[in-house]
Amino acid sequence: MHDILLVEDDEMIREATRLTLEGHGYRVRTAADGVSGLDLFREHRPDVAVLDIMLPGLNGVSLAGRIREESGVPVLLISARNDPVDVVMGLEAGADDYVTKPFDGPVLVARIRSLLRRAAPAEPPARPREPSAEPLRFGDLAFCPVTLDVCRDGRPLNLTTTELKLLKEFTTSPGMVLTRDLLLERVWDYAWSGDTRVVDVHVQRLRAKIGRDRIETVRGFGYKLRP
């Protein structure tokens, strides 16, 4: 049974969401403000944190940033507004996904399941022989697709699960243009109704770690890794 932290100040939404998640087999702990939510997170270390953006005490964006400083636990933001500024700020603070209110329970559950799949250790596919553990090299960047170790100029990098999956897609097809829709399907496990801002934000975060010139933007199409 997976543990979910739900931080939502609206009592009706909080209780309705809790009942929905518990009905799908999740153990849910709730808080009505950001400070209490951070305390619950530190005490119980949930598998996913679901945070409203507009919270008293400590807002959801700040809370997402505090959680990301301490853990790689997936964070899903809930926003009453579809303002691109709020969305981008939340993703840049460390959130992995967002849902706009009002949302359907099955949609929220599907997003949580997707986050849990991405956070779970990948099972190695059956192969006739062991894959090579030799790292792939792109300039000063080295990436081992078996051990998932990433180094830049000989120094190890700490990437999130989403960043690792993005990098793996790029290194599998160096020099090839990967569209935003393709990356959504492969990394996030679903099509996002044409909203690809989450891809852009996570690519920017990956660039900041591996080198801003390593991933090239192909205007109107997507991104590609420079060999």
Side-chain angles (χ1 to χ4, degrees):
M1 180 181 291
H2 291 289
D3 290 320
I4 307 295
L5 171 63
L6 172 63
V7 188
E8 166 63 67
D9 62 327
D10 187 301
E11 183 177 1
M12 291 183 62
I13 296 176
R14 184 173 65 249
E15 288 304 299
T17 304
R18 179 184 64 80
L19 291 172
T20 296
L21 295 177
E22 289 180 344
H24 284 81
Y26 296 109
R27 182 187 296 112
V28 183
R29 293 183 174 89
T30 64
D33 62 84
V35 174
S36 299
L38 183 59
D39 290 340
L40 272 179
F41 171 81
R42 289 170 171 168
E43 181 179 356
H44 297 287
R45 293 293 175 175
D47 297 300
V48 176
V50 180
L51 316 175
D52 183 26
I53 287 183
M54 302 300 292
L55 291 172
L58 184 68
N59 66 42
V61 173
S62 299
L63 178 55
R66 297 283 288 274
I67 289 175
R68 185 57 66 236
E69 290 174 358
E70 302 178 14
S71 169
V73 166
V75 175
L76 172 64
L77 289 178
I78 301 173
S79 173
R81 298 181 299 174
N82 194 20
D83 189 329
V85 174
D86 290 333
V87 173
V88 171
M89 285 179 60
L91 294 172
E92 288 183 340
D96 299 279
D97 199 350
Y98 74 94
V99 174
T100 303
K101 297 178 184 178
F103 52 82
D104 292 329
V107 172
L108 180 65
V109 171
R111 295 288 180 87
I112 290 174
R113 286 175 177 166
S114 177
L115 290 173
L116 289 169
R117 285 196 301 269
R118 285 155 49 196
E123 296 183 5
R127 295 177 182 267
R129 59 182 180 180
E130 289 295 321
S132 172
E134 284 295 315
L136 304 174
R137 298 189 180 277
F138 305 88
D140 62 353
L141 181 69
F143 172 63
C144 179
V146 177
T147 63
L148 301 182
D149 291 327
V150 185
C151 293
R152 183 183 180 193
D153 199 20
R155 296 188 296 272
L157 299 179
N158 182 25
L159 304 186
T160 66
T161 300
T162 301
E163 291 163 355
L164 279 172
K165 290 195 172 187
L166 271 174
L167 182 59
K168 191 169 185 177
E169 292 297 330
F170 284 122
T171 57
T172 300
S173 307
M176 293 181 59
V177 178
L178 303 182
T179 67
R180 294 172 175 84
D181 288 336
L182 179 64
L183 291 171
L184 272 177
E185 180 181 346
R186 291 183 177 177
V187 176
W188 281 265
D189 296 329
Y190 52 77
W192 202 344
S193 302
D195 191 342
T196 56
R197 285 172 292 184
V198 67
V199 176
D200 297 332
V201 171
H202 280 85
V203 167
Q204 292 303 318
R205 286 165 54 180
L206 179 60
R207 276 175 167 162
K209 294 181 180 180
I210 69 173
R212 298 192 179 278
D213 296 332
R214 184 58 55 199
I215 299 176
E216 179 181 347
T217 300
V218 181
R219 191 174 299 276
F221 292 93
Y223 300 97
K224 68 178 180 179
L225 180 71
R226 290 180 175 174

